[in-house]
């Protein structure tokens, strides 16, 4: 992966990082894990809070608990290719009015 950015309410945020990062893509896994220095800007932009030891949560809409109140997307860059993933596809229902963010923090800060 070469970059990651967040689009919030149709406004693009600054790119969160632009350093090459080796990643393993697994469409069957419900979560993706990134090093702390990469996930922290995403947590800040989405105002996510700790959910468990490695995952974070964001608020969900009260009327529709499957929809995070943070509308927008996360853009993953792979060279000249950008994959835009809507926030609704990056979250699942947690407890109460929380949506679990499907991007977590690795336990090793050097991963």
């Amino acid at each position: 992966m070469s970059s990651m950015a967040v689009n919030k309410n149709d406004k693009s945020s600054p790119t969160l990082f632009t350093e090459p990062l080796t990643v393993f893509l697994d469409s069957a896994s419900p979560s993706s894990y990134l090093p702390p220095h990469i996930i922290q800007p995403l947590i800040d932009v989405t105002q996510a809070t700790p959910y468990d030891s490695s995952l974070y949560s964001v608020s969900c809409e009260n009327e529709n608990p499957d929809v995070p109140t943070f509308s927008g997307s996360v853009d993953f860059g792979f060279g000249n290719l950008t994959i835009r993933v809507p926030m609704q596809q990056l979250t699942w229902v947690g407890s109460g009015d929380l949506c679990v963010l499907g991007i977590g923090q690795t336990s090793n800060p050097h991963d």
Side-chain angles (χ1 to χ4, degrees):
M1 187 166 62
S2 58
S3 67
M4 184 172 72
V6 176
N7 290 298
K8 183 176 182 179
N9 300 324
D10 298 325
K11 295 180 182 177
S12 183
S13 75
T15 301
L16 302 179
F17 84 97
T18 57
E19 61 191 60
L21 177 69
T22 302
V23 295
F24 175 73
L25 302 177
D26 181 2
S27 63
S29 176
S31 299
S32 299
Y33 294 91
L34 298 170
H37 72 282
I38 293 175
I39 194 170
Q40 189 60 51
L42 176 63
I43 292 166
D44 294 343
V45 169
T46 60
Q47 299 178 6
T49 57
Y51 183 76
D52 64 17
S53 62
S54 61
L55 294 175
Y56 293 84
S57 63
V58 293
S59 296
C60 291
E61 291 182 5
N62 292 335
E63 308 83 43
N64 188 349
D66 294 337
V67 179
T69 53
F70 177 90
S71 62
S73 64
V74 178
D75 295 350
F76 299 95
F78 299 90
N80 292 329
L81 174 69
T82 299
I83 299 174
R84 179 168 285 170
V85 183
M87 283 299 291
Q88 188 172 356
Q89 292 180 3
L90 286 174
T91 58
W92 67 86
V93 176
S95 59
D97 62 347
L98 297 177
C99 286
V100 178
L101 184 60
I103 300 175
Q105 180 173 296
T106 59
S107 57
N108 182 348
H110 305 290
D111 282 345

